[in-house]
């Protein structure tokens, strides 16, 4: 108690170097920032996985031993974990796969997972809806991790783009990146993935040059007249010299 009172008093009187012109010792250099955040991001991703796996293991233990009360506690903690927002601090680290993937193999396991993810994605209200969006994300990401040559990867990327753009995530950089992968991985045919990426860079991320690039790509590569018309209109607005 005395120590706490002393600490509060020091802050109030500026004895800890706050206020009254007290400065840090010039002989001591300030802490240097790490050259790159990559290693730290990797540790965060690994810690998330370890935490989730530990909870799953604990749940299995309590379920097998018949401890229903503790199993329920773990279940609630797992739900809280999945409901929490987990940003992608670096899209290039354990997240968005490269544009060079080739969708060329019919993988029955991937097809089954895709149907499961779609089923989760459209279900529920309120908290249950959010949980199902998280479940869908896990399933779709599993497809990309386990079956990167599946002929479903372009569709998976599109679904992930929609998830990350939606109200349960609102991770717009991530959404745009997956929409880009969707049209990059798709061989033949087209959808609105390129236009949706352009809209995100334009309206949500304020990355004007990237939006202009993608609107031009829509005009050049898309075959849908309405999408092309929208891209032409917005491109004219963005490139106009008028204020």
């Amino acid at each position: 108690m005395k120590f706490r009172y002393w600490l509060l008093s020091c802050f109030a009187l500026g004895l800890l170097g706050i206020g009254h012109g007290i400065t840090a010792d010039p002989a001591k250099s300030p802490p240097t920032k790490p050259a790159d955040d990559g290693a730290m991001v990797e540790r965060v991703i690994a810690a998330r996985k370890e935490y989730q796996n530990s909870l799953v293991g604990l749940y299995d233990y309590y379920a097998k031993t018949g401890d229903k009360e503790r199993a329920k506690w773990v279940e609630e903690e797992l739900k809280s974990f999945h409901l929490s927002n987990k940003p992608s601090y670096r899209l290039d680290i354990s997240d968005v796969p490269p544009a060079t993937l080739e969708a060329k193999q019919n993988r029955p396991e991937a097809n089954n997972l895709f149907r499961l993810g779609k089923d989760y994605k459209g279900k529920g209200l309120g908290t249950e809806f959010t949980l199902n969006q998280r479940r869908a994300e896990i399933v779709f990401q599993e497809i990309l991790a386990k079956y990167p040559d599946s002929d479903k990867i372009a569709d998976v990327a599109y679904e992930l783009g929609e998830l990350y753009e939606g109200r349960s995530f609102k991770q717009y950089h991530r959404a745009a990146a997956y929409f880009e992968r969707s049209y990059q991985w798709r061989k033949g045919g087209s959808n609105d993935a390129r236009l949706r990426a352009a809209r995100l860079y334009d309206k949500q991320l304020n990355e004007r040059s990237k939006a202009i690039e993608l609107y031009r790509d829509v005009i050049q590569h898309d075959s849908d007249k309405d999408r092309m018309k929208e891209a032409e209109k917005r491109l004219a607005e963005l490139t106009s010299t008028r204020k």
Side-chain angles (χ1 to χ4, degrees):
M1 186 69 180
K2 288 182 179 179
F3 176 78
R4 182 173 180 273
Y5 177 79
W6 173 85
L7 188 61
L8 291 172
S9 299
C10 286
F11 275 113
L13 296 173
L15 296 179
L16 297 183
I18 300 174
H20 295 287
I22 298 177
T23 58
D25 185 348
K28 295 180 180 179
S29 59
T32 57
K33 292 183 179 180
D36 184 72
D37 61 347
M40 291 183 287
V41 171
E42 288 175 348
R43 287 199 295 272
V44 168
I45 293 170
R48 287 172 180 168
K49 290 179 180 178
E50 175 62 23
Y51 177 56
Q52 178 179 327
N53 291 338
S54 296
L55 285 173
V56 170
L58 191 59
Y59 177 85
D60 288 342
Y61 173 79
Y62 288 139
K64 288 176 182 177
T65 58
D67 193 333
K68 294 182 180 179
E69 183 179 17
R70 285 182 171 80
K72 183 67 175 176
W73 294 348
V74 179
E75 185 179 345
E76 291 301 318
E77 188 169 353
L78 267 170
K79 284 184 179 180
S80 296
F81 173 72
H82 287 307
L83 284 169
S84 66
N85 185 41
K86 292 176 279 297
S88 179
Y89 297 105
R90 287 274 298 271
L91 296 181
D92 60 326
I93 297 178
S94 299
D95 195 342
V96 183
T100 53
L101 291 189
E102 295 185 18
K104 56 186 179 181
Q105 296 293 332
N106 178 19
R107 301 288 187 189
E109 301 90 343
N111 299 341
N112 292 335
L113 285 171
F114 184 76
R115 285 191 289 270
L116 178 62
K118 288 279 287 184
D119 191 43
Y120 278 135
K121 185 168 172 271
K123 278 188 175 180
L125 297 171
T127 298
E128 189 61 26
F129 174 81
T130 302
L131 280 170
N132 281 332
Q133 301 306 287
R134 301 283 198 263
R135 290 170 179 136
E137 177 200 17
I138 291 169
V139 172
F140 290 138
Q141 289 287 4
E142 183 178 350
I143 296 171
L144 296 182
K146 291 184 176 179
Y147 311 104
D149 62 348
S150 163
D151 58 10
K152 281 286 188 290
I153 60 172
D155 295 322
V156 168
Y158 188 90
E159 296 296 332
L160 285 168
E162 284 202 324
L163 283 174
Y164 293 134
E165 184 181 10
R167 67 179 187 270
S168 296
F169 290 89
K170 294 183 179 180
Q171 297 181 17
Y172 300 122
H173 268 116
R174 210 173 183 187
Y178 276 101
F179 280 133
E180 288 186 86
R181 290 294 182 266
S182 180
Y183 68 75
Q184 289 164 346
W185 292 339
R186 188 175 300 281
K187 304 300 182 185
S190 66
N191 58 16
D192 64 346
R194 186 181 273 105
L195 181 60
R196 292 187 70 166
R199 288 174 186 156
L200 285 168
Y201 285 118
D202 181 10
K203 306 292 186 180
Q204 299 293 345
L205 301 171
N206 296 316
E207 295 187 21
R208 184 172 176 272
S209 60
K210 184 67 175 179
I212 288 172
E213 174 191 333
L214 289 181
Y215 283 132
R216 285 175 174 157
D217 283 350
V218 171
I219 296 167
Q220 182 178 356
H221 298 289
D222 210 324
S223 58
D224 183 89
K225 291 182 179 179
D226 289 336
R227 293 197 291 263
M228 293 170 67
K229 185 177 179 180
E230 178 184 338
E232 288 170 350
K233 181 177 183 294
R234 186 57 184 150
L235 182 62
E237 293 169 350
L238 288 172
T239 56
S240 173
T241 57
R242 292 177 299 175
K243 300 295 183 182

